[in-house]
Amino acid sequence: MATQQSTSPQNSPVTVVGLGPMGLALAEALLKQGHPLTVWNRTPQKADDLVTRGAQRPATVAEAVSASPVTIVCLNDYDTLYEVLAPAADALRGRALVNATALVASAGVPAATFAELAVNWFMPMGVDSTLVEQAPDLDKANYPGEFGTMEMDLNALAHITRTCVEQGVDARQPALMKELAESAIEQGYSGKNYFAVFEVFKKEAQSA
Ligand SMILES: NC(=O)c1ccc[n+]([C@@H]2O[C@H](COP(=O)([O-])OP(=O)(O)OC[C@H]3O[C@@H](n4cnc5c(N)ncnc54)[C@H](OP(=O)(O)O)[C@@H]3O)[C@@H](O)[C@H]2O)c1
């Protein structure tokens, strides 16, 4: 007879598959909240720090999925997602899969569905009323990255640029934002938020 395990949402085990900047941020947050964490990534070394702090790192994705009732998958695109999860098909049966891999039109997700999910979450450096709140930080060159780093934005911009190209949409604007993020990272702002591109602009202006 199957036994029902009583776990509160706070201590429920979670598996994260994919440890890019977004997957790592999710894994860190889960560990901080006290969830028993299991991780799997193509490049296992990316989990070194998480393992030091208590995360499990089994050798196979099937073992990782089997370790928790919920798996969050956060990979670069859908082709990779299907390839990575294929060996875990049996393990996934009866378990919840939360897909944090980008939901884009190329993947057949309607824009309205994506927009609902994305508003106030995706690339939080978007220009809106928060710019007014951020302005004092621009003056102080203070660009905290706790809600999203330049490295994460670069990945997101690479995805957006690629999707624009795939969908035949003008990609110049995201491509320029991506280029600016690359410059900022070269100049040491990878852990800062996107507003740090202001420093790139200032440097350009000084050398002009
Ligand atoms: N960055 C953001 O601000 C942001 C915001 C919202 C949503 N997202 C979405 O979240 C997802 C993850 O984004 P990310 O920024 O964390 O990084 P990413 O560069 O989009 O994805 C990196 C992850 O994909 C894995 N990967 C790439 N190619 C692979 C392959 N051929 N086989 C197996 N694994 C492969 C990487 O493994 P390795 O470590 O081994 O290379 C790593 O785990 C994307 O779909 C992105 O659009 C990102």
Side-chain angles (χ1 to χ4, degrees), residues 18-22 41-43 46 75-76 102 122 152 155 159:
L19 296 174
M22 181 52 77
N41 194 55
R42 175 182 61 171
T43 311
K46 285 197 185 161
L75 293 162
N76 63 320
F122 185 59
M152 293 165 86
N155 274 321
H159 286 295

Side-chain angles (χ1 to χ4, degrees), residues 36-81:
L37 179 71
T38 300
V39 293
W40 186 90
N41 194 55
R42 175 182 61 171
T43 311
Q45 299 88 309
K46 285 197 185 161
D48 283 353
D49 188 43
L50 294 166
V51 170
T52 312
R53 285 181 290 136
Q56 300 298 310
R57 177 177 43 189
T60 69
V61 71
E63 288 171 272
V65 167
S66 301
S68 312
V70 177
T71 291
I72 301 175
V73 60
C74 193
L75 293 162
N76 63 320
D77 60 25
Y78 274 57
D79 288 345
T80 302
L81 181 146

